[in-house]
Amino acid sequence: ELDPYFIGKISGAELKESKPNPEIFLKAASIANEPIENCMVIEDSTNGILASHRAGIFRAAYKSEHTLQQDYALANILVADFKDLELEKISQYFN
């Protein structure tokens, strides 16, 4: 019942390549009709962070006990709680 909260959906099955290729994020921004400067990716994997970096999209790495081995060096911010994504905390990264 989450559909009303999203503009569109995309599946990896619809893509030519998977992460770390940025195709999924570029296509999602296109579906949303938003420039990448207005987008944010929340990722918990090295390949997801790399793909969103290659797309030029703001990257929030979600770190949990299940993702301790991932490399988040290319993330803009690292969060362990979604409360850390409050607008006041991340607005400095957007124009």
Side-chain angles (χ1 to χ4, degrees):
E1 299 178 21
L2 294 174
D3 285 349
Y5 299 99
F6 294 92
I7 294 169
K9 295 184 264 184
I10 187 169
S11 162
E14 301 171 49
L15 306 171
K16 295 177 186 171
E17 296 190 50
S18 60
K19 301 171 193 170
N21 184 290
E23 180 183 11
I24 192 165
F25 297 122
L26 296 172
K27 195 165 199 167
S30 177
I31 290 168
N33 198 29
E34 287 290 336
I36 58 173
E37 302 86 42
N38 293 348
C39 297
M40 178 175 74
V41 168
I42 303 170
E43 261 294 343
D44 66 350
S45 72
T46 302
N47 280 343
I49 292 294
L50 181 55
S52 52
H53 170 74
R54 289 176 175 171
I57 297 175
F58 179 83
R59 301 160 301 285
Y62 180 72
K63 187 175 183 178
S64 73
E65 63 184 69
H66 306 289
T67 62
L68 297 176
Q69 302 302 317
Q70 301 299 312
D71 179 2
Y72 297 136
L74 293 174
N76 296 100
I77 60 171
L78 178 64
V79 298
D81 189 316
F82 286 114
K83 292 177 186 172
D84 295 331
L85 294 174
E86 292 176 353
L87 184 57
E88 294 80 29
K89 293 181 181 181
I90 64 169
S91 63
Q92 64 184 332
Y93 298 100
F94 295 91
N95 294 332

